Amino acid sequence: MGDWWKDRVAYQIYPRSFQDSNGDGIGDIPGIISRLDYLKALGAGIIWLSPVYRSPNEDNGYDISDYKDINPEFGTMDDMKALINEAAKRDIRIIMDLVINHTSTSHSWFQQSRDKNSPYRNYYFWRPGRENGPPNNWTSFFAEDCWEFDKKSGEYYLHLFAKGQPDLDYHNPAVIEEIKDIMRFWLDMGIAGFRCDVINIIWKSSLEDGRKKLALTGSEHYISQEGMHEILRKLRLDVLDGYDCFTVGETVFVTTRTANDLCAVERRELDMVFSFEHMETDQFFVKWFPRKFNPGRFCKTIARWQQALEWNANYFENHDQPRSISRFGNEGEYHGASAKMLGALLLTLRGTPFIYQGQEIGMTNYKFKKMEQIKDVESHNLWKKAKVMHIPKWYRWKMILRGCRDHARTPVQWDSSEFGGFSKHMPWLAPNGNYTYINVETQRNDNDSILNFYKQMILLRTSDDVIKYGSFEPVVISKRLFVYKRKLDGRTMTIALNFSGRLVKFYCAGNLLISNYARETYDGRLKPYEAIVFDEDGKAL
Ligand code: ISL
Ligand code: CA
């Protein structure tokens, strides 16, 4: 059992928006199966599948009502088995989303827990209110109160996310046993691991009032608490260690120190984490307050994480984040070059790279015009909350455009036919109008496309040990330039990236191995958004 997950490139699928097979406008599992050859040709070796479990979809599947069943919109359990099978035939392993901080209010545990005498009562945080108000002053991730009063119970329940997502109480050992059982169920079916949703907030060490903050009052009582480490060790020892699998934790507000505690091999907790610091360099405090993108700040943060951790998960996009090209690149004049440059960065860092669906063709943010076009519960809550706070409408809209998660959830653009080849029917979320020219089909046939550059970079990454396992050493980090070296067994690769639309001088003695521009030789100047991999030893691929 080697660390096969270090050798592979991962690809995240958000099933609702990936590929519809039956014309109902909703992506599904048969749709994913029909695209496995595409993923294989791209070079993906791992799929992270966002939730496909039964769910009322208040938060698009992150509110699970049955962990051992498939949402009928996505298909059947047989479809799921077929997916695992078909992926395995292509040597692609699937990890699933493990969403265990909360369930859906429709989950039978929660429904039963509404009865005070039920054995399920202590699966959740049921508490009486105080002076006609909630049990404490905490606020939720989704810009609303995090306690909901339930008439039937006569008490409040805690939900750090949407109202339909009640938090599980890990002080109750029965909850941990349930989770172990769910994990075994899927691992036995052939799943290769889990992406663990908001895993560092599962342990609430107290329900005392929190220090008042602009957002997430109360978080000091549940972010990265010691109890969380203990639970992870239990899950590892009792379940995960018995399988050839890996875990990647989604860890909010995580520091390099906590990340190290979570990922250090000898501590036996997680294998890697998704951190947020680099994704927060273009915001003030919370994501709704845009801050001008500064490549130096972004790259410095990346470099610090690269050096602090032995191994980690790298990503610039997922289903919660706006499109990276619209944030960190240039979606206009340098669409192709900047998308490729960001791809080169992702694929030459140390750690397992995660590509989010559509990133490999440079899909961009959606130009939303009004709230009605947006489905995401988080955006709607924020919109209401900001209104109550008397934030002017024009600024509220700016906040939405910056943070809206639907930017990443528009359907994958497969071809230039109606609805971008995603479906024969109007999709659940409108496709981005630029599918007529940004799509897989067009790029597949163009040697110079973003898609083909990704393929080339993935091939380099999976075939060259220096890029895969080499040490990371920053060389230049400035407002336009990011240069670093990867070194292994006396070999060195240098990666130089131009984060600007100008020519930038940079001298390198190595041989040009790959550039995102068609060029044979290097003249000491990087073109706009150019990315070059130099081989210091002059060995050709
Ligand atoms: O979306 C966010 C900001 O970009 C975060 O606050 C996000 O809610 C947080 O990263 C947790 O995300 C995960 O858990 C949520 C779910 O809505 C997200 O889709 C999931 O990735 C609750 O399960
Ligand atoms: Ca469908």
Side-chain angles (χ1 to χ4, degrees), residues 59 62 99 102 141-142 161 165 195 197-198 250 252 276 287 319-321 378 405 409:
D59 187 20
Y62 282 89
V99 188
H102 42 266
F141 279 74
F142 284 173
F161 292 89
Q165 294 170 300
R195 175 268 188 185
D197 193 61
V198 287
E250 186 210 24
V252 288
F276 283 74
K287 70 171 179 181
H319 64 293
D320 291 334
Q321 300 280 345
E378 184 192 44
R405 303 192 296 180
R409 299 178 180 185

Side-chain angles (χ1 to χ4, degrees), residues 288 290 383 390-401:
W288 307 107
W383 182 251
H390 301 291
I391 296 178
K393 195 165 177 189
W394 68 268
Y395 195 82
R396 263 191 280 149
W397 189 240
K398 195 170 156 172
M399 294 169 90
I400 293 286
L401 287 185

Side-chain angles (χ1 to χ4, degrees), residues 439-464:
N439 64 62
V440 170
E441 206 46 48
T442 309
Q443 295 197 17
R444 212 198 303 254
N445 304 320
D446 171 6
N447 281 336
D448 195 31
S449 67
I450 303 166
L451 179 62
N452 281 317
F453 184 75
Y454 262 83
K455 280 188 195 163
Q456 195 188 353
M457 286 306 302
I458 292 172
L459 195 64
L460 172 69
R461 156 134 216 136
T462 46
S463 60
D464 192 301

Side-chain angles (χ1 to χ4, degrees), residues 338-388:
S338 68
K340 291 177 196 167
M341 185 276 288
L342 290 168
L345 171 60
L346 180 68
L347 292 156
T348 54
L349 288 172
R350 188 178 157 88
T352 303
F354 281 74
I355 298 168
Y356 177 68
Q357 62 185 37
Q359 185 177 351
E360 76 278 21
I361 55 167
M363 279 180 62
T364 64
N365 278 353
Y366 191 95
K367 308 268 179 291
F368 295 108
K369 294 276 180 304
K370 48 182 197 273
M371 274 315 282
E372 291 73 42
Q373 292 174 308
I374 293 170
K375 307 270 188 230
D376 185 27
V377 55
E378 184 192 44
S379 291
H380 282 278
N381 283 352
L382 185 274
W383 182 251
K384 278 181 245 157
K385 166 97 179 249
K387 192 171 178 182
V388 173

Side-chain angles (χ1 to χ4, degrees), residues 204-219:
K204 282 78 182 172
S205 46
S206 112
L207 293 184
E208 311 254 292
D209 276 342
R211 273 192 313 278
K212 277 238 185 319
K213 286 187 292 212
L214 190 55
L216 287 184
T217 295
S219 58

